[in-house]
Amino acid sequence: MFICDLNQDLNSSHQRYSKAKTLSSGLWKSFLNLKSFLFSYFSFRMIYTKPQILKRSDVLMMTPWFAPIVWEGTYNSEILNEQFRQRNVTVGLTVFAIKKYVVFLKTFLETAETYFMVGHRVNYYIFTDRPEEVPKVALKEGRNVVVLQVQNYPRWQEISMRRMEMLSYFSQQRFINEVSYLVCVDVDMKFNDQVGVEILSDLFGTLHPGFYTAERRSFTYEHRPASQAYVPSDEGDFYYAGGFFGGTVTEVYKLTKKCHEAIMVDKANGIEAIWQEESHLNKYFLYHKPTKILSPEYLWDDNLGRPEILKKRRFLAVPKNHAAIRNK
Amino acid sequence: MSYPQPFVDKPQRTDVLLVSPWLAPIVWEGTFNRDILNAQYRQKNFVVGVATFAVKKYVRFIEGFLGSANKFFLSGHRVNFYLFTDHPEKVPSINLAPEKRLFIIPVQNYSRWQDISMNRMDIISNHIHSHWRYEVDYLYSMDIDVQMFEHIGVEIIDTLVGTISSWQYTKPRDSNSYERHPESRAAIPHGEGDFYYAASFYGGSVSEVYKLTTACFKGVTEDRANGIEAKWHEESHLNKYLLYHKPTRLLSPEYYWDEELIRPRIIRVKRLSSVRKDLQELERLTLLLGGLRELLVPCSSLDSLVSFFFCREAKCVL
């Protein structure tokens, strides 16, 4: 029985925490009943207007190193929006549209306008070799498009890996002065639901939708010791997706610089990691653990179905013909 | 480093809230891996400061506090204990671990214990400003009348850290002991509030604790000028501050358990607990037993009986 001691001498100068309450067994049962605790806790009245049940018992909500894992139903957008608005944060969203990938920009930007960091300041940084093909999309207030012209490469793998080099260069040269956070994503995607400030942290990665329930031995880490991206088979926390990561500009700079250097060393040694820069990203995140992790809600492919665990599909792969679009 | 893989569809605990609505982790037993945290922490070579006050009769808690903290608090990491006391001569000598240091700082006492309690905020903020910001990276304020029973490690280290009160962690928001009188600077309107935080253990980065203590003491001073005192003194002001400047990490009631409460199952570990404080009764009892020992003819069985009672009651001081 959980009973608070009634008969404390309230006048005693040493009794700081005397609270005179008795609990009947019925009330005690409700104390242990977390549902009633949560309901009474979360019946918002003044600042927080929407009542929500903010706990999930079906998923890991936090890693063993205290990085929250962001799932629908674990956070309150109003509180977070207020915190970030007070700081007047600007978020940079980087995307690479090289060669034929420019065709994805229109849908990407239009859906980003609807769903990405709504109400906050956003700079879209579009890396492209075809600046004239960047579509004009109507932007809301406080949001800008910046087109950065870069070179292309013959192989799609090379294009993919060079993103690390370009991100590290521009982080240092430009982004550090313009934004507080960087969000680096693939372009062949569309936003389908809210992606907001709940994702922001010093360094965040996203759980790859194909591996979030897999055992570590089936993660497609680079397992050849000759590569800089090598991860021993008995190590690994999660398999992170190369298509959605970010953090403060400083942290993204460190990550992209390290990955780019590792890619160059591999090149010099005549080896290419199994999943290109994604392999190097996974190595980095194992030894420099993210401070926040995004659930697969934040990077999903409808070809993987609609499992129960996924309450929202916020950022979806756009169907593409790989053969037609790559290397062109 | 080798450790079990964390699984996304297998939560560590489902009986408690692990993350606040603003995504600040809540520290519960079974949810973290201290080896990973230690490895991350060691790279940074931080120093942590602990400010604690032993004024008037509270000097008797110093030995228990320092002895248990030496063993259980941030074991293996650098800690500076800043002990404020009006009786520096009564501080017992304790053999501290090599990475732990003790600084004894004389301080005046006040006639009212509430004033002693509330002025802690002012003293802490002044000391941060004058020299602690050069000496430590993180600072924690702890009550002296506590003891530690289990390791308290680097899981407590974050920018702004509050401990959820062991008296109030299951109560609905409106029955929290927040200050409700609108005239007080600590007032929180009905319908607002996240958790009720205990003033016995809070902390964070030096700059954040400076902001917190300065703001709270400003509230205390303004209240005093208006002839009002918040219901739970500086704890009320702390709760107001942490409502509008949300902590980046919360410690579960494992990190400050009031000894008067019976511990429910969800509190798997009692890391730090208050010590029984019925001091007046204790003093009478020790005097009585001491007198008895003097009066009675030395007799082995009676002597051991008296010793037994003496030690049992004295245990609550240690």
Side-chain angles (χ1 to χ4, degrees):
Chain A
M1 269 299 253
F2 182 138
I3 298 181
C4 302
D5 193 346
L6 281 193
N7 302 314
Q8 307 262 341
D9 177 5
L10 290 171
N11 294 324
S12 161
S13 63
H14 298 291
Q15 300 286 0
R16 290 179 65 210
Y17 291 105
S18 315
K19 313 237 194 307
K21 269 201 164 112
T22 313
L23 304 171
S24 68
S25 61
L27 205 55
W28 180 73
K29 278 201 183 95
S30 81
F31 267 34
L32 277 195
N33 183 340
L34 279 213
K35 264 195 228 152
S36 73
F37 156 58
L38 287 168
F39 179 76
S40 54
Y41 169 79
F42 292 107
S43 35
F44 301 113
R45 268 151 281 182
M46 288 173 81
I47 296 179
Y48 323 135
T49 51
K50 262 191 325 188
Q52 305 169 43
I53 301 299
L54 292 184
K55 187 179 128 173
R56 298 269 303 259
S57 50
D58 55 336
V59 291
L60 193 68
M61 283 176 58
M62 201 170 67
T63 68
W65 61 91
F66 292 125
I69 304 179
V70 186
W71 300 89
E72 174 62 12
T74 61
Y75 62 91
N76 180 311
S77 305
E78 282 162 45
I79 304 179
L80 291 168
N81 274 327
E82 182 59 35
Q83 289 183 325
F84 280 93
R85 277 253 34 106
Q86 278 176 8
R87 292 168 49 193
N88 205 17
V89 151
T90 306
V91 178
L93 180 62
T94 69
V95 75
F96 288 75
I98 309 284
K99 296 203 247 191
K100 272 222 159 69
Y101 277 69
V102 291
V103 74
F104 294 108
L105 279 173
K106 187 161 192 300
T107 306
F108 180 90
L109 287 171
E110 282 172 351
T111 56
E113 277 297 292
T114 310
Y115 292 114
F116 182 75
M117 302 285 165
V118 173
H120 298 274
R121 299 160 56 92
V122 173
N123 286 355
Y124 298 103
Y125 294 110
I126 303 180
F127 292 80
T128 182
D129 60 337
R130 301 178 185 182
E132 67 289 352
E133 292 189 43
V134 173
K136 294 269 177 292
V137 169
L139 298 178
K140 297 201 185 91
E141 202 186 317
R143 301 164 84 96
N144 305 300
V145 164
V146 177
V147 178
L148 301 165
Q149 181 156 16
V150 294
Q151 72 168 106
N152 64 41
Y153 291 88
R155 295 173 63 239
W156 69 264
Q157 296 90 336
E158 190 69 32
I159 294 172
S160 191
M161 291 191 294
R162 288 284 176 176
R163 295 190 293 177
M164 289 294 181
E165 178 184 24
M166 295 176 192
L167 283 170
S168 78
Y169 175 79
F170 279 93
S171 294
Q172 193 191 30
Q173 289 289 314
R174 182 168 184 155
F175 302 153
I176 188 82
N177 300 318
E178 295 181 356
V179 297
S180 317
Y181 292 93
L182 280 173
V183 178
C184 308
V185 298
D186 282 353
V187 74
D188 49 354
M189 309 285 293
K190 64 180 183 202
F191 291 90
N192 188 50
D193 211 322
Q194 293 298 329
V195 174
V197 295
E198 71 278 359
I199 72 172
L200 299 178
S201 187
D202 283 358
L203 182 64
F204 66 86
T206 307
L207 297 177
H208 192 293
F211 295 94
Y212 63 95
T213 53
E215 300 224 350
R216 67 166 48 129
R217 57 166 184 249
S218 12
F219 292 163
T220 54
Y221 292 145
E222 175 55 65
H223 287 305
R224 293 169 291 171
S227 167
Q228 298 298 303
Y230 167 65
V231 173
S233 48
D234 59 345
E235 290 184 37
D237 302 311
F238 302 103
Y239 192 75
Y240 300 96
F244 197 157
F245 63 90
T248 58
V249 178
T250 316
E251 288 300 321
V252 171
Y253 170 70
K254 288 196 281 192
L255 180 161
T256 51
K257 182 163 185 281
K258 194 87 200 287
C259 286
H260 170 61
E261 284 166 356
I263 288 170
M264 290 293 121
V265 171
D266 269 8
K267 221 191 240 305
N269 293 333
I271 188 169
E272 188 172 283
I274 181 173
W275 286 107
Q276 297 85 45
E277 81 282 5
E278 187 176 89
S279 306
H280 292 275
L281 180 84
N282 272 278
K283 168 107 182 210
Y284 188 86
F285 275 150
L286 178 55
Y287 300 116
H288 306 81
K289 297 190 189 309
T291 56
K292 195 178 270 186
I293 295 180
L294 309 186
S295 66
E297 294 169 7
Y298 289 85
L299 190 81
W300 191 251
D301 187 330
D302 277 337
N303 289 329
L304 298 167
R306 307 262 180 115
E308 188 60 45
I309 208 176
L310 213 70
K311 306 298 180 199
K312 282 196 170 180
R313 293 141 49 242
R314 303 171 194 263
F315 192 48
L316 294 173
V318 168
K320 70 177 192 264
N321 180 333
H322 285 88
I325 206 93
R326 285 172 170 172
N327 298 337
K328 294 258 180 349
Chain B
M1 192 192 299
S2 171
Y3 50 82
Q5 179 191 352
F7 280 96
V8 161
D9 49 357
K10 295 185 177 65
Q12 308 103 323
R13 283 182 71 163
T14 52
D15 54 340
V16 288
L17 190 69
L18 296 186
V19 170
S20 77
W22 57 94
L23 295 174
I26 307 178
V27 184
W28 295 92
E29 173 67 9
T31 63
F32 61 94
N33 181 321
R34 204 177 268 133
D35 293 333
I36 301 179
L37 296 171
N38 273 330
Q40 291 179 325
Y41 187 80
R42 284 222 165 79
Q43 289 171 358
K44 296 172 191 163
N45 210 21
F46 287 141
V47 183
V48 172
V50 174
T52 186
F53 292 73
V55 173
K56 297 208 247 195
K57 292 205 167 68
Y58 279 67
V59 293
R60 66 185 62 225
F61 295 112
I62 295 175
E63 191 165 3
F65 176 88
L66 283 177
S68 63
N70 189 39
K71 191 169 166 202
F72 289 117
F73 189 79
L74 288 172
S75 172
H77 299 287
R78 294 172 60 194
V79 178
N80 289 354
F81 291 103
Y82 299 106
L83 175 63
F84 292 89
T85 180
D86 56 343
H87 288 294
E89 72 286 356
K90 288 196 184 168
V91 178
S93 69
I94 312 251
N95 235 351
L96 291 178
E99 62 279 348
K100 306 265 188 296
R101 290 157 73 188
L102 175 64
F103 297 85
I104 302 171
I105 306 164
V107 75
Q108 71 165 112
N109 68 46
Y110 294 88
S111 49
R112 294 177 69 238
W113 70 264
Q114 295 89 337
D115 287 328
I116 297 171
S117 191
M118 291 190 290
N119 287 340
R120 294 191 295 181
M121 291 281 188
D122 185 39
I123 293 171
I124 289 174
S125 97
N126 288 338
H127 275 79
I128 292 177
H129 184 73
S130 59
H131 51 276
W132 288 350
R133 58 188 161 137
Y134 308 114
E135 292 176 11
V136 299
D137 304 286
Y138 292 90
L139 186 79
Y140 290 82
S141 168
M142 294 172 76
D143 279 359
I144 190 79
D145 53 348
V146 299
Q147 272 208 42
M148 297 174 212
F149 298 95
E150 274 299 330
H151 283 284
I152 294 179
V154 298
E155 67 274 9
I156 69 169
I157 307 292
D158 207 331
T159 314
L160 184 60
V161 182
T163 307
I164 299 174
S165 165
S166 50
W167 284 91
Q168 308 246 4
Y169 65 96
T170 58
K171 290 194 174 40
R173 151 202 270 180
D174 268 350
S175 69
N176 276 344
S177 303
Y178 296 139
E179 175 56 59
R180 299 291 188 191
H181 288 114
E183 305 86 52
S184 168
R185 288 289 175 272
I188 293 176
H190 281 281
E192 289 185 38
D194 301 310
F195 300 98
Y196 190 80
Y197 302 101
S200 314
F201 189 0
Y202 65 88
S205 69
V206 158
S207 56
E208 286 301 319
V209 175
Y210 176 72
K211 287 192 261 184
L212 182 159
T213 49
T214 311
C216 286
F217 191 67
K218 183 159 176 283
V220 165
T221 314
E222 286 172 12
D223 273 7
R224 272 185 188 147
N226 294 331
I228 186 171
E229 191 169 280
K231 188 154 121 183
W232 291 106
H233 324 106
E234 88 277 17
E235 190 171 85
S236 305
H237 292 272
L238 177 81
N239 272 276
K240 169 102 180 228
Y241 185 86
L242 290 179
L243 175 59
Y244 299 116
H245 307 81
K246 296 190 189 307
T248 57
R249 192 167 296 186
L250 284 71
L251 305 182
S252 66
E254 295 167 7
Y255 288 82
Y256 180 78
W257 189 254
D258 196 315
E259 200 251 80
E260 292 165 40
L261 298 169
I262 298 171
R263 186 156 51 100
R265 206 166 293 159
I266 67 169
I267 309 290
R268 292 182 186 173
V269 166
K270 184 180 70 173
R271 300 179 198 271
L272 187 153
S273 163
S274 67
V275 165
R276 278 184 57 197
K277 291 196 296 295
D278 37 2
L279 291 174
Q280 284 173 344
E281 201 180 293
L282 175 65
E283 279 176 19
R284 271 186 282 126
L285 198 56
T286 48
L287 277 172
L288 178 68
L289 289 171
L292 266 177
R293 289 184 80 140
E294 293 301 318
L295 284 173
L296 295 169
V297 172
C299 161
S300 61
S301 57
L302 200 57
D303 203 44
S304 55
L305 197 67
V306 167
S307 309
F308 171 70
F309 277 110
F310 183 86
C311 291
R312 192 162 155 265
E313 291 311 317
K315 206 168 56 172
C316 65
V317 180
L318 301 170

